[in-house]
Amino acid sequence: QVQLVESGGGLVKPGGSLRLSCGASGFPISDYYMNWIRQAPGKGLEWLSYINSDSSYIKFADSVKGRFTISRDNAKNSLHLQMDSLRAEDTAVYYCARTYGSGQPLDYWGQGTLVTVSS
Amino acid sequence: VLTQAPSVSVAPGQTARITCGVSKIGSKSVHWFQQRPGRAPVVVLYDDSDRPSGIPERFSGSNFGNTATLTISRVEAGDEADYYCQVWDNSSDHPVFGGGTKLTVL
């Protein structure tokens, strides 16, 4: 069955870096756009970034543009988010999710990984 | 920005209506997500009113003018969750979420 599993979260100091990964099973990520979405404690969902099937098209939310990098390895069926210059306001649960393309729903999500930015 | 009421309360067996508003949302496809506490979001409706397999028929949707509506009929205790609407913003070319509505079953 379709499964997405995030990893790499943890506690990091302000200004630090962290690399999140999302492993997929049950489907080839090469057929999908892959997204990162986050949810700060007690807050709503915030879309962060997506990468298209062949990595030729990438979008970021303004809140993380220039600090976060998204990448994918279709051969390993995995997605990554490199987060640099982390701030306290980046503290959140980070989810990966797939979508078939522009306008399509984010139909499967991982369980999320918690990132805490604190000194 | 997609506008959702922060909370909706309904008694078991009654009908809950959760709205999502923005100018001309009727021209967009709206997707709805349910998020139970501590869990990842799950899509309950896509393209305004289509239900993924496994979602009860009690969940239905409409989308006209400036408002999209998720309707949950015969509400059950297990429906208590946060509900988010989502559209694709063509101008910025990425998904956008509403602020979420907490459904409380009295």
Side-chain angles (χ1 to χ4, degrees), chain A residues 39 42-44, chain B residues 2-10 17-21 32-33 35 80-85 98-105:
Chain A
Q39 186 170 37
K43 301 298 184 182
Chain B
L2 300 175
T3 301
Q4 295 186 243
S7 63
V8 168
S9 299
V10 64
R17 294 179 179 84
I18 297 170
T19 60
C20 176
W32 290 94
F33 298 86
Q35 186 180 31
E80 191 162 278
D82 294 324
Y83 291 84
Y84 295 89
C85 58
T101 297
K102 180 177 181 58
L103 175 65
T104 299
V105 181

Side-chain angles (χ1 to χ4, degrees), chain A residues 61-80:
Chain A
D62 289 343
S63 58
V64 302
K65 196 177 298 183
R67 299 188 299 122
F68 289 12
T69 305
I70 190 171
S71 62
R72 63 192 293 158
D73 186 335
N74 288 344
K76 294 183 177 179
N77 231 30
S78 60
L79 173 73
H80 306 283

Side-chain angles (χ1 to χ4, degrees), chain A:
Chain A
Q1 72 278 22
V2 172
Q3 195 169 13
L4 294 165
V5 178
E6 301 91 341
S7 60
L11 175 64
V12 61
K13 289 181 167 55
S17 297
L18 212 56
R19 185 175 190 247
L20 305 184
S21 294
C22 171
S25 58
F27 73 100
I29 69 164
S30 57
D31 288 348
Y32 291 86
Y33 284 34
M34 296 300 294
N35 298 256
W36 288 100
I37 303 99
R38 72 182 177 186
Q39 186 170 37
K43 301 298 184 182
L45 301 171
E46 179 188 14
W47 171 86
L48 295 180
S49 179
Y50 71 71
I51 183 170
N52 74 341
S53 306
D54 64 3
S55 304
S56 62
Y57 190 61
I58 288 172
K59 292 286 288 187
F60 285 101
D62 289 343
S63 58
V64 302
K65 196 177 298 183
R67 299 188 299 122
F68 289 12
T69 305
I70 190 171
S71 62
R72 63 192 293 158
D73 186 335
N74 288 344
K76 294 183 177 179
N77 231 30
S78 60
L79 173 73
H80 306 283
L81 186 69
Q82 176 67 38
M83 305 186 296
D84 298 321
S85 304
L86 283 162
R87 308 165 179 165
E89 54 264 35
D90 295 319
T91 294
V93 174
Y94 285 72
Y95 297 98
C96 63
R98 76 176 197 182
T99 181
Y100 200 62
S102 297
Q104 300 302 308
L106 297 139
D107 63 350
Y108 279 93
W109 298 55
Q111 85 290 348
T113 187
L114 176 63
V115 172
T116 303
V117 184
S118 174
S119 55

Side-chain angles (χ1 to χ4, degrees), chain B residues 49-99:
Chain B
S49 59
D50 291 336
R51 281 178 289 104
S53 60
I55 301 301
E57 292 183 7
R58 300 184 298 104
F59 289 78
S60 62
S62 63
N63 184 16
F64 303 103
N66 300 326
T67 305
T69 303
L70 167 66
T71 300
I72 309 173
S73 304
R74 301 181 299 283
V75 166
E76 304 173 356
D79 298 331
E80 191 162 278
D82 294 324
Y83 291 84
Y84 295 89
C85 58
Q86 180 249 309
V87 301
W88 194 277
D89 181 22
N90 289 328
S91 61
S92 56
D93 197 21
H94 65 71
V96 175
F97 291 97

